[in-house]
Amino acid sequence: SLPVIDPGFLSWTMLFTCTISHPTVMFRKSAIDEIRGYDESIKCAEDYDLWLRMLEKDSRSILCLPFVGVWHRKHKHNNSVTNSLAQKKEANEARYRAICKKILSSPDDETDESLDIEHITALKDPATATSLDSINNAARLLMNMESTFLQKNDMC
């Protein structure tokens, strides 16, 4: 079990949800340039995609400080509220790409039947699963993810 402040913990949790608040981030411009910056085709989950790609390059590239550095106020006019469906869709797609890259040699490799966007979405929100098979595949995917993640990041 990793402590919350371990970068490996952040890298793992980011595969399920965005745990980084953009105003709390400092980074070197060169680090962003190395991953080609923001993907301008993504309109509502561009930060999440950026962080996932940074972590893909180096799972320990983002550090967590053990204190609350900012309070984020949410209201009905927040972008995350007004564009929630688009943001959820784009976040699921970013999560899918990140998980595919963590597990497979390429996102086009179809060797794992549990690597389906529906099953990856079910990991985040089991209520979206359309069948028991989908839940079972999501569970198999989670076990595969854990094993692969630990091996690829030298955490065994």
Side-chain angles (χ1 to χ4, degrees):
S1 170
L2 296 172
V4 174
I5 61 171
D6 187 292
F9 181 82
L10 177 68
S11 186
W12 174 253
T13 60
M14 286 289 288
L15 292 173
F16 303 95
T17 190
C18 187
T19 59
I20 299 173
S21 179
H22 197 287
T24 66
V25 176
M26 292 184 344
F27 50 79
R28 294 188 188 281
K29 184 178 183 307
S30 60
I32 302 302
D33 290 342
E34 284 180 34
I35 60 168
R36 298 177 316 279
Y38 285 99
D39 181 341
E40 293 182 18
S41 70
I42 300 173
K43 302 298 178 204
C44 299
E46 64 275 17
D47 299 337
Y48 185 41
D49 174 74
L50 182 79
W51 312 139
L52 286 170
R53 288 186 293 117
M54 282 185 74
L55 291 167
E56 172 193 326
K57 183 170 176 13
D58 178 1
S59 69
R60 296 178 178 269
S61 64
I62 298 176
L63 301 176
C64 237
L65 299 177
F67 64 86
V68 175
V70 67
W71 288 101
H72 184 73
R73 185 173 66 93
K74 292 190 176 192
H75 53 80
K76 65 182 179 180
H77 301 295
N78 280 99
N79 189 41
S80 59
V81 174
T82 59
N83 294 314
S84 65
L85 292 178
Q87 187 176 47
K88 191 178 289 189
K89 180 181 182 295
E90 288 179 355
N92 283 336
E93 290 165 356
R95 186 176 301 111
Y96 175 75
R97 286 189 301 273
I99 290 172
C100 284
K101 288 176 184 174
K102 286 278 185 202
I103 292 180
L104 303 175
S105 52
S106 81
D108 298 323
D109 186 357
E110 296 294 330
T111 57
D112 188 342
E113 69 180 33
S114 65
L115 263 176
D116 179 285
I117 196 158
E118 177 188 348
H119 307 138
I120 289 173
T121 302
L123 287 174
K124 169 107 169 101
D125 184 4
T128 63
T130 58
S131 67
L132 182 57
D133 282 343
S134 181
I135 293 286
N136 288 334
N137 280 324
R140 278 192 286 281
L141 173 62
L142 182 60
M143 291 186 296
N144 187 2
M145 284 172 59
E146 178 185 32
S147 168
T148 305
F149 182 85
L150 291 172
Q151 289 171 1
K152 283 190 174 182
N153 296 292
D154 298 321
M155 294 180 187
C156 292

